[in-house]
Amino acid sequence: MMAGESDRTEKMTAALRKAGIRVTRQRIALLGVLAEADDHPDAVELHDRAKRIEPTVSLATVYRTLSVLEESGVVHRHSFKGGGARFETSHEEHHDHILDVDTGEVIEFQSDKIERLQDEIARELGYEVVHHRLELYCRKKR
Amino acid sequence: MMAGESDRTEKMTAALRKAGIRVTRQRIALLGVLAEADDHPDAVELHDRAKRIEPTVSLATVYRTLSVLEESGVVHRHSFKGGGARFETSHEEHHDHILDVDTGEVIEFQSDKIERLQDEIARELGYEVVHHRLELYCRKKR
DNA sequence: ATGCTTATGAGAACCATTCACAACTGTAAA
DNA sequence: TTTACAGTTGTGAATGGTTCTCATAAGCAT
């Protein structure tokens, strides 16, 4: 037999099946792409990358699968200003984003203080935070 | 002669002209609508309201004018989750938004602490904040 | 009032995303 | 391993919000 498939693929396969989601070639390809992406690609970019692994993937399936993965908490969808949604795997801990307005670069950051303040503010107004969106559109200091 | 036009209209007219923007019936209508809106209407809603004042306003003009007004800092455009952009006049002081995920209601809040924290975080990473987006998607506490 | 320039309405065009549907394919059971 | 069924897929059309095109209309400085 030829060299076995990677551990990663096996793990993803198992994870999918456990979630009751059918394991298809297209989904394996997309999950592979997401797993090694360390940027914040949009659906078209993910489609391009996935096609290199599994040429039959259609854009519609990319969108469909991303929605499925979002619902099951595997990926996060971000809608930054300008252009379409961008995605990232959610296995890291929660963070917010700085967007470099000049370069388009995305930087992640995390602040417990801000998280706490948000909860506090909501609480004072009689609400509890379900989720939030915090984006800092910034310019490099010189 | 008939009773003169309202002060408000005269003021808006003057403000527009000063900005080098031509004063048209459509723009007067839209500005009037924006001035008395205390909610966060979208373009279609603004169009409907403006038509009651000036029936000839087209949706395209509403969008065009909103862009003009946004560029000149008169209105702010918000893109909350789900649905199109929503607008509000910017003559009040800066604030962020709580979105009630059940009712869709928009509540405004302001926190100097959070503003300061944001600046601090950006500064530590070598950036300065140009503008930001902070939305708390909340549910009423019971 | 005149002329130049900007604004407008109508509808087409756009773009990201979703949908409809017939063909296909995992998966579990036989 | 074959079968059978429900979940998935690719294609292309549809959608919804927003912008564009272009011929016509109308501000505004003179």
Side-chain angles (χ1 to χ4, degrees), chain A:
Chain A
M1 64 174 166
M2 62 186 92
E5 301 221 289
S6 77
D7 272 10
R8 179 175 274 159
T9 301
E10 280 169 36
K11 272 181 197 156
M12 292 191 305
T13 297
L16 274 187
R17 239 188 295 269
K18 190 187 299 180
I21 294 170
R22 203 165 274 188
V23 177
T24 64
R25 265 169 291 123
Q26 294 81 343
R27 284 173 174 171
I28 291 174
L30 183 56
L31 276 180
V33 163
L34 283 166
E36 30 181 89
D38 60 343
D39 49 351
H40 297 73
D42 64 14
V44 172
E45 175 62 28
L46 287 169
H47 182 214
D48 287 343
R49 297 184 194 176
K51 275 189 294 192
R52 298 204 274 270
I53 300 175
E54 172 53 58
T56 75
V57 195
S58 73
L59 183 54
T61 288
V62 169
Y63 274 112
R64 276 187 294 238
T65 303
L66 285 170
S67 292
V68 168
L69 296 177
E70 187 190 10
E71 275 158 34
S72 53
V74 179
V75 305
H76 285 149
R77 177 194 303 257
H78 302 292
S79 298
F80 302 133
K81 287 208 176 142
R86 301 169 65 169
F87 301 84
E88 68 179 327
T89 56
S90 50
H91 50 67
E92 308 117 34
E93 37 195 303
H94 168 75
H95 56 255
D96 294 303
H97 298 90
I98 286 179
L99 289 294
D100 187 314
V101 294
D102 295 318
T103 68
E105 195 186 355
V106 180
I107 299 99
E108 304 178 352
F109 72 88
Q110 205 283 330
S111 164
D112 288 330
K113 261 192 214 168
I114 282 196
E115 305 288 322
R116 261 184 268 115
L117 267 174
Q118 289 174 7
D119 289 343
E120 197 177 301
I121 287 165
R123 190 171 347 109
E124 276 168 17
L125 293 166
Y127 286 93
E128 50 194 6
V129 178
V130 178
H131 65 276
H132 71 259
R133 182 197 251 176
L134 172 56
E135 294 153 16
L136 305 182
Y137 293 83
C138 294
R139 174 160 292 137
K140 221 159 222 147
K141 244 184 329 189
R142 77 231 113 68

Side-chain angles (χ1 to χ4, degrees), chain B residues 14-62:
Chain B
L16 275 187
R17 239 188 294 269
K18 190 187 298 181
I21 295 171
R22 207 164 271 189
V23 177
T24 64
R25 262 169 295 122
Q26 293 81 344
R27 284 173 174 171
I28 291 173
L30 183 57
L31 276 179
V33 164
L34 283 166
E36 34 182 85
D38 59 344
D39 49 352
H40 297 71
D42 64 13
V44 172
E45 175 62 29
L46 288 169
H47 182 214
D48 287 344
R49 297 184 194 176
K51 274 190 296 194
R52 298 204 275 271
I53 300 175
E54 172 54 57
T56 75
V57 194
S58 72
L59 183 54
T61 288
V62 169

Side-chain angles (χ1 to χ4, degrees), chain B residues 121-134:
Chain B
I121 288 165
R123 191 173 344 110
E124 276 168 16
L125 293 167
Y127 286 92
E128 51 193 6
V129 178
V130 179
H131 64 278
H132 70 260
R133 181 197 251 176
L134 171 56

Side-chain angles (χ1 to χ4, degrees), chain B residues 28-97:
Chain B
I28 291 173
L30 183 57
L31 276 179
V33 164
L34 283 166
E36 34 182 85
D38 59 344
D39 49 352
H40 297 71
D42 64 13
V44 172
E45 175 62 29
L46 288 169
H47 182 214
D48 287 344
R49 297 184 194 176
K51 274 190 296 194
R52 298 204 275 271
I53 300 175
E54 172 54 57
T56 75
V57 194
S58 72
L59 183 54
T61 288
V62 169
Y63 275 111
R64 276 186 294 236
T65 303
L66 285 170
S67 293
V68 168
L69 296 178
E70 188 191 11
E71 275 158 34
S72 52
V74 178
V75 305
H76 285 148
R77 176 194 303 257
H78 301 293
S79 298
F80 302 133
K81 287 207 177 144
R86 301 169 66 169
F87 302 83
E88 68 180 326
T89 56
S90 49
H91 51 65
E92 308 118 34
E93 38 195 301
H94 168 76
H95 55 256
D96 295 303
H97 298 89

